[in-house]
Amino acid sequence: MTKSIILHQINLENKGTLFIRFFDGHGNKKLISLKFKMFKTDFEKSYNKEFLLFSRNQNFNHTEINNKIKEYENFNPFLQTYTGTNLTLTEYFNRDILNTAKQSTKNTNKYVLNSLKEFRKVIYFEDLNRDFMGAYKNHLHQKRTTKPIKNSTIKKYITVLKTICNKAKRDGYKINESTFDIKISKDERINNKVLTKEDIDILYNIEKGQKYFLEKNLFLFSIYAQGLRVSDSLFIKIENFKQSHIEIGMTKTKNNLQIQYSDKILDILMEVFDVPNPIKKFKAQNAKIYVRQQTEETLLDRYSNNIKKKRLVQKEVLNSLLKNKYQEFKVKENILKTIRENHKPNEFVFKGLLNEYYCKNSNKVEIDYDAWKSSQNAVKGFNQRLKIMSKLYKLSIGDNISSHSARYTFVNLLLEKNTNIYLISKALGHSNLGITERYIKRNFGAEKLNISETLANVFD
């Protein structure tokens, strides 16, 4: 067995957590957190690979860290975890969770284990077969009475269990080969997941004091911030707002995404942080007069009989005016300055939608189960309130709205403008075009890609 010290889970500030990494010589590894945070530059400067110890550094207590490392001098996590092939599945699963380094994986696996214990208190490896998995699947279906659990969620639970069983196989446990030979049907596809431009306008005009003001701001922010997933937008912090762009480490892919500031994003930030909006004031006082002056003798007269066209002309002129005014008022600089002066870097932007316990405990090296659970409940609660908001404001999407509708809507707006699929992929933060292609086909249909039509035009 060999071991090393690594700096893991490095954030945007190049600060990470120290872990001991163990290798058993058979391709298996274990990570155990030392629960110390350190900058990457300090780690590279002070860590001695040969002795697995740290030299003196004014930025951290090297003695405390070295003493913690020495506690694991004769420690063997592989022996600690598996003491033979006499453990029950539930015991094995629980020990695997205790030795999992990644907090999100640990919490997800804990949730699956709890569902297994609800199904049957003690489960032996010999119990596992196709009939067992079928009964467990039915238990998950019946668990939710108000709303049926999705097949995709059940599939995820069973995949987690299969991963644990594959680990157990390598440790000498016998697993029935037909255990996971069950079919899980796909969820029924809902086509109406996208908001119309009229729906977006309705949400945009919800003002402070009206119901679901915070929810509409988060939802619109997700649309304007390149269809950002709720797992990123709901938990965005002040520190993510840089001078020239928003920078986010995406929860799902772990990739960094840079989002340029737009006028719409700035409007939302001014509403959320209650920053005076000079554009709104100017718009209320001068915009109508300006539009009338600029269009009275030319375009408006030309389209005097076409009300729809007349409004489009007014909107174009107004947008052009406001764009110039944004630059004139230096709105972006003022917003960022005000935010940084009045709020701490680790403060959540949409903290009004988050549990107070989560806000207090989310900055720990390893958040506990209660904090993780409250973050999941925040997402669920947000989705539930979106449906009520949709009914209240009579959005065309109706009950089909969810936090992911923001992502679908963003993509649909790009598709309607015949945007290049490469740009869509980059905006969504996908790692390759294949993922984007499947995403569009699954959610919008192949016709939205217009591939055949595009190829035909290329060779004309």
Side-chain angles (χ1 to χ4, degrees), residues 200-213:
I200 295 172
D201 285 339
I202 290 170
L203 294 180
Y204 190 76
N205 289 318
I206 296 175
E207 296 183 349
K208 193 171 184 179
Q210 290 183 275
K211 286 186 176 179
Y212 304 106
F213 173 75

Side-chain angles (χ1 to χ4, degrees), residues 117-161:
K117 286 180 177 178
E118 284 177 8
F119 173 58
R120 194 178 295 179
K121 270 193 174 181
V122 180
I123 302 168
Y124 298 90
F125 282 99
E126 305 88 74
D127 296 337
L128 297 179
N129 54 42
R130 191 164 53 185
D131 292 337
F132 174 91
M133 294 309 299
Y136 175 57
K137 185 180 80 168
N138 291 335
H139 163 76
L140 291 175
H141 270 303
Q142 294 164 8
K143 187 179 171 184
R144 295 277 291 277
T145 53
T146 54
K147 183 183 176 183
I149 193 167
K150 287 184 179 180
N151 287 326
S152 57
T153 305
I154 293 175
K155 190 174 181 179
K156 183 179 179 180
Y157 276 35
I158 292 176
T159 300
V160 169
L161 183 54

Side-chain angles (χ1 to χ4, degrees), residues 296-432:
E296 188 170 21
E297 296 176 0
T298 54
L299 295 171
L300 285 185
D301 292 335
R302 191 184 305 172
Y303 299 112
S304 57
N305 295 324
N306 189 334
I307 301 299
K308 190 174 180 181
K309 191 70 178 177
K310 188 175 179 180
R311 285 177 181 169
L312 282 173
V313 171
Q314 289 176 320
K315 193 173 181 180
E316 285 176 14
V317 174
L318 180 57
N319 285 341
S320 176
L321 165 69
L322 293 179
K323 192 172 183 180
N324 294 331
K325 284 296 173 185
Y326 261 96
Q327 295 172 352
E328 183 184 323
F329 287 136
K330 295 184 178 179
V331 173
K332 182 183 73 175
E333 290 82 357
N334 290 335
I335 293 172
L336 296 175
K337 185 180 177 183
T338 304
I339 289 172
R340 290 196 182 101
E341 285 176 353
N342 298 317
H343 303 275
K344 295 178 180 178
N346 62 355
E347 186 177 328
F348 291 99
V349 174
F350 296 101
K351 62 182 178 182
L353 298 173
L354 294 172
N355 181 287
E356 188 179 345
Y357 181 84
Y358 177 79
C359 292
K360 285 182 179 178
N361 292 275
S362 62
N363 291 314
K364 292 181 179 178
V365 174
E366 291 184 19
I367 65 169
D368 57 32
Y369 179 76
D370 290 333
W372 175 81
K373 186 65 179 171
S374 65
S375 70
Q376 302 300 301
N377 288 337
V379 174
K380 288 179 184 176
F382 176 62
N383 276 300
Q384 289 167 357
R385 290 192 296 277
L386 281 182
K387 293 183 186 300
I388 302 170
M389 180 185 75
S390 182
K391 285 183 181 177
L392 179 66
Y393 292 102
K394 298 177 181 177
L395 304 183
S396 64
I397 193 172
D399 277 344
N400 293 334
I401 194 171
S402 71
S403 56
H404 220 61
S405 296
R407 195 164 175 82
Y408 295 136
T409 301
F410 169 72
V411 173
N412 193 58
L413 291 170
L414 294 184
L415 290 170
E416 286 181 352
K417 294 288 185 181
N418 294 318
T419 307
N420 184 294
I421 190 172
Y422 171 75
L423 295 176
I424 295 175
S425 183
K426 191 175 179 183
L428 292 174
H430 285 166
S431 55
N432 62 66

Side-chain angles (χ1 to χ4, degrees), residues 41-89:
T41 50
D42 289 333
F43 178 80
E44 292 171 347
K45 183 180 177 181
S46 303
Y47 175 55
N48 187 315
K49 290 183 181 179
E50 186 179 352
F51 297 103
L52 272 68
L53 295 171
F54 287 86
S55 60
R56 187 184 297 275
N57 190 309
Q58 62 180 4
N59 295 327
F60 59 84
N61 189 334
H62 75 289
T63 305
E64 189 178 352
I65 295 175
N66 289 339
N67 288 338
K68 188 72 175 177
I69 293 170
K70 285 176 183 176
E71 289 178 15
Y72 292 92
E73 195 168 1
N74 299 312
F75 181 76
N76 188 333
F78 303 99
L79 292 178
Q80 291 288 327
T81 306
Y82 312 119
T83 57
T85 54
N86 58 347
L87 297 178
T88 65
L89 169 64

